[in-house]
Amino acid sequence: MKTFDHTGKVIAVTGGSRGIGEAIVRRLCEEGAHVFATFNSQPERAQNIANEIIESGGRVTFLQVNVGDEESVKGFVEAVVTQGGRVDGLVNNAGITKDGLIMRMNAKDWQDVIDTNLTGVFYTCKAVARPMMSQRAGRIVNIGSIVGLQGNAGQVNYSSAKAGLVGLTKSLARELASRNVFVNCIAPGLVETDMTDKLTDEQRASFFGNIPMKRAAHPDEIASVVSFFMASESSYITGQVLNVDGGLAM
């Protein structure tokens, strides 16, 4: 479902081989962008997605990257600029969860989530800042979460990382706005994923009962907002956090 025109743009997407990330990659490719997407495991899955996109006329390049490792991230961005000639957009979507109540959460589970979900975004933003500033154009979209604004029991690590993205987004937006580089954050609520597919009817009723729209988002509904932030139609928006949550946090 094409919405905005991204013909000729070079856009990097982290965590692009499943869920929300896959939907973002497919949407941006359909709208004309050459997407460079990362994956951390299951190379065959990434290759299958790439084959489908290429067969339908899109342009995508998947690269294996550990976003929690600065050198790996630097190599990824260098590959994007070298192969793509520039970098017009960055979508920070890669993330992990290691849930548990704080009394049972060990230091490694805390640090692993912070390293991937927050420090990894710092690495990618730092790596793309220079080429985007040189171009005097660029868009950065950070995929946060509604739990970064509301909190969630059993997710102090994840909620802290996503809350950190809000501060990172706003600070970076102030740093880069004069160079025509815009930085925004999307805070999804519950999204249909492999996890929600496994919920019982009772569990689904419990989750959806707190959502005014009484349903989860489809990943493509998040991708469409990413596409908007990457488009010229959002040219006077920066430093914002947009909740895409069916009314959950209003």
Side-chain angles (χ1 to χ4, degrees):
M1 182 176 63
K2 185 173 181 179
T3 305
F4 299 102
D5 185 10
H6 298 302
T7 302
K9 293 180 184 178
V10 176
I11 301 176
V13 179
T14 67
S17 64
R18 62 189 313 111
I20 294 172
E22 179 183 345
I24 292 168
V25 169
R26 289 182 182 275
R27 170 64 70 97
L28 295 175
C29 287
E30 185 178 348
E31 294 170 341
H34 181 181
V35 175
F36 288 81
T38 76
F39 67 95
N40 191 39
S41 61
Q42 296 183 307
E44 65 285 349
R45 181 182 178 91
Q47 188 60 56
N48 289 338
I49 295 169
N51 291 342
E52 291 176 7
I53 291 172
I54 292 169
E55 286 171 6
S56 64
R59 299 183 68 194
V60 65
T61 303
F62 271 96
L63 296 169
Q64 189 163 17
V65 177
N66 175 8
V67 298
D69 179 83
E70 187 170 15
E71 291 306 312
S72 183
V73 170
K74 284 181 179 178
F76 169 61
V77 174
E78 287 171 2
V80 173
V81 174
T82 299
Q83 298 178 38
R86 56 186 292 116
V87 55
D88 299 293
L90 166 67
V91 183
N92 284 303
N93 172 74
I96 62 171
T97 58
K98 292 193 174 183
D99 297 346
L101 297 176
I102 193 167
M103 295 297 292
R104 298 173 183 168
M105 183 177 292
N106 60 46
K108 186 177 187 303
D109 287 348
W110 165 270
Q111 198 62 53
D112 285 349
V113 171
I114 297 297
D115 287 347
T116 297
N117 296 15
L118 182 57
T119 306
V121 176
F122 162 71
Y123 290 152
T124 55
C125 288
K126 182 179 179 181
V128 302
R130 189 178 300 277
M132 285 186 175
M133 290 172 71
S134 297
Q135 295 165 183
R136 291 190 171 270
R139 304 294 177 92
I140 297 173
V141 178
N142 297 321
I143 305 299
S145 171
I146 206 67
V147 304
L149 305 175
Q150 294 189 149
N152 194 35
Q155 288 191 311
V156 295
N157 48 6
Y158 187 79
S159 299
S160 296
K162 294 302 186 180
L165 281 187
V166 174
L168 186 155
T169 296
K170 291 179 178 292
S171 296
L172 191 58
R174 290 183 181 275
E175 289 187 23
L176 302 182
S178 64
R179 297 299 185 96
N180 202 41
V181 178
F182 310 136
V183 189
N184 292 289
C185 181
I186 298 170
L190 185 65
V191 181
E192 289 284 1
T193 62
D194 295 342
M195 182 192 74
T196 56
D197 289 342
K198 298 174 183 177
L199 295 176
T200 66
D201 290 342
E202 183 178 353
Q203 288 172 323
R204 294 176 75 88
S206 176
F207 278 121
F208 297 162
N210 294 321
I211 302 172
M213 290 181 66
K214 305 301 180 187
R215 68 174 180 86
H218 186 276
D220 199 55
E221 292 177 302
I222 311 302
S224 65
V225 182
V226 171
S227 179
F228 167 68
F229 277 134
M230 287 289 165
S232 60
E233 285 82 352
S234 64
S235 58
Y236 199 57
I237 305 174
T238 195
Q240 301 304 302
V241 180
L242 179 59
N243 297 348
V244 185
D245 64 352
L248 178 63
M250 65 179 172

